[in-house]
Amino acid sequence: MSDALVQVRNLKKYFPVRRGVFQRVVAHVKAVDDVTFSVGAGETLGLVGESGCGKTTVGRTILRLLEPTAGEMIFDGKPVFQLRGRELRSLRREMQIIFQDPYSSLNPRMTVGSIVGEGMAVHRLAYGAERRKKVQDLLDKVGLSPNHVNRYPHEFSGGQRQRIGIARALAVNPRFIVCDEAVSALDVSIQSQILNLLQDLKREFQFSYLFIAHDLSVVEHISDRVAVMYLGEIAEVAPADEIYKKPLHPYTQALLSAIPAPDPTQKSKRVLLPGDVPSPLNPPSGCRFHPRCPVAEEICKQVVPPAVDVGGGHFARCHLVKPDGTAPRISQKLPAAAAAPAPPPAS
């Protein structure tokens, strides 16, 4: 994407494993291994995958909350991984994060006004009465009362705390926000409120989002494009509508089959993959999905698959995907999971 606001190229993040008296490095956990993607101005990219696939590590590494092992991150033409000191602090204004846990991400000893206004103080954006007024305006914008500025986090529910976290992210007028499982800890009814709030704010301020989640139905609701991760690598990237209608990678097909149907009497078509997720400490050779893939061939075990471009911004890392968009359907290779019995009628 030539007009991309964020460009991540060949990103790697390895965590050392140390053992022995001298704590020598004996191996590395390859949490993120050669990940490339882009996010356009005003665009939402959904990043999905199983727990432990490296989604959160990607988000924290591109914001420099974790230092990368290799690769580059370009934000509006600036090489983020090469910045230091004042330049990096200035850039942090442009990029913010909404954390997953609305309980542990807020300092319980600080008032809401101090939490939301802290970024303004650090970046010297507003002082005194002006800062308080801006904090109150932000609270009102995210659906809280301006009178909450003197309250503490323990006085709020989970959904209200997440709104405080959103207000904190907005306080410095960023252009790019990483939403790290921002609604996964909330009730379903509260999730929809927060998602609608994020979309309203995006329309008003033209933010770009990296929306990290494991719930594909949530990602479909908010994303313009979707990237699917598996064991530290991106398996498939496509516009949201297309990836839900025509998933090409076998892993994407399996994930989409797990979305629950709204009608409880409808038979499930879920595909159950064999085996367990391999360890990122010692990932499989070739395609990392091949030990669980029902359509894997010999080449999949030996050669790392290239990213096949099928047009329209749709890419899939699979040897069996053809440039014309044809791909094997795993639902034809594995039996679908048995449908859950219908619930008994209420007495």
Side-chain angles (χ1 to χ4, degrees):
M1 184 181 293
S2 59
D3 59 344
L5 177 68
V6 174
Q7 297 179 68
V8 178
R9 300 170 183 160
N10 308 114
L11 178 66
K12 296 183 180 182
K13 177 58 183 176
Y14 298 169
F15 294 95
V17 177
R18 303 178 185 273
R19 290 180 184 163
V21 177
F22 299 102
Q23 291 292 289
R24 292 192 176 95
V25 177
V26 297
H28 287 88
V29 175
K30 298 179 179 180
V32 178
D33 199 7
D34 199 19
V35 163
T36 298
F37 64 87
S38 63
V39 185
E43 181 186 36
T44 299
L45 175 68
L47 187 61
V48 302
E50 294 172 289
S51 295
C53 71
K55 307 184 299 295
T56 293
T57 304
V58 167
R60 297 192 176 205
T61 303
I62 64 176
L63 295 182
R64 292 284 296 275
L65 299 179
L66 296 172
E67 288 300 317
T69 301
E72 61 179 343
M73 152 71 167
I74 308 298
F75 179 84
D76 197 19
K78 301 174 184 176
V80 175
F81 294 161
Q82 298 177 19
L83 300 181
R84 296 291 184 272
R86 185 175 299 176
E87 288 183 316
L88 179 59
R89 172 178 286 195
S90 176
L91 189 64
R92 289 196 187 282
R93 237 191 96 182
E94 311 270 354
M95 305 185 297
Q96 290 292 303
I97 184 170
I98 301 170
F99 292 99
Q100 175 179 0
D101 189 352
Y103 292 89
S104 63
S105 62
L106 302 179
N107 189 333
R109 297 177 178 175
M110 295 175 65
T111 65
V112 170
S114 298
I115 290 171
V116 176
E118 186 177 22
M120 299 181 194
V122 169
H123 294 283
R124 301 176 182 177
L125 301 179
Y127 300 91
E130 181 188 1
R131 185 193 305 167
R132 183 181 178 87
K133 179 64 169 59
K134 287 189 174 182
V135 169
Q136 291 177 323
D137 290 343
L138 282 170
L139 292 179
D140 181 62
K141 196 170 290 293
V142 299
L144 296 174
S145 170
N147 297 325
H148 289 163
V149 289
N150 294 321
R151 293 189 180 184
Y152 289 86
H154 73 269
E155 301 179 63
F156 297 89
S157 67
Q160 289 174 319
R161 293 188 194 196
Q162 198 61 294
R163 290 173 186 267
I164 296 170
I166 294 171
R168 176 175 59 183
L170 299 179
V172 292
N173 301 316
R175 298 166 63 194
F176 174 61
I177 299 178
V178 174
C179 302
D180 182 15
E181 302 271 13
V183 298
S184 64
L186 307 176
D187 293 338
V188 174
S189 59
I190 305 301
Q191 283 187 9
S192 60
Q193 294 177 20
I194 298 298
L195 289 173
N196 290 334
L197 172 63
L198 290 173
Q199 287 188 308
D200 291 342
L201 293 171
K202 175 187 170 182
R203 283 191 290 268
E204 182 175 353
F205 297 103
Q206 289 299 301
F207 296 130
S208 295
Y209 289 135
L210 176 64
F211 192 86
I212 299 170
H214 61 267
D215 188 336
L216 284 143
S217 57
V218 169
V219 172
E220 181 181 18
H221 179 71
I222 197 171
S223 300
D224 299 308
R225 289 188 301 132
V226 176
V228 179
M229 279 195 74
Y230 182 79
L231 207 62
E233 295 182 342
I234 290 184
E236 187 168 0
V237 183
D241 292 342
E242 184 168 350
I243 206 168
Y244 283 86
K245 292 177 181 176
K246 189 181 178 183
L248 299 180
H249 197 282
Y251 178 62
T252 308
Q253 296 175 34
L255 280 183
L256 291 175
S257 74
I259 298 178
D263 185 356
T265 63
Q266 183 179 339
K267 290 186 177 181
S268 171
K269 297 179 181 179
R270 181 176 181 181
V271 175
L272 298 180
L273 295 173
D276 297 321
V277 180
S279 170
L281 191 63
N282 185 26
S285 60
C287 175
R288 294 191 173 184
F289 186 60
H290 86 257
R292 305 176 68 198
C293 182
V295 295
E297 299 180 356
E298 193 62 32
I299 188 175
C300 304
K301 303 175 183 179
Q302 302 171 1
V303 181
V304 176
V308 180
D309 183 1
V310 301
H314 195 161
F315 297 84
R317 293 175 66 104
C318 179
H319 289 293
L320 306 182
V321 173
K322 307 302 180 185
D324 62 358
T326 57
R329 316 307 294 178
I330 63 172
S331 58
Q332 300 171 357
K333 300 291 182 178
L334 284 176
S347 57

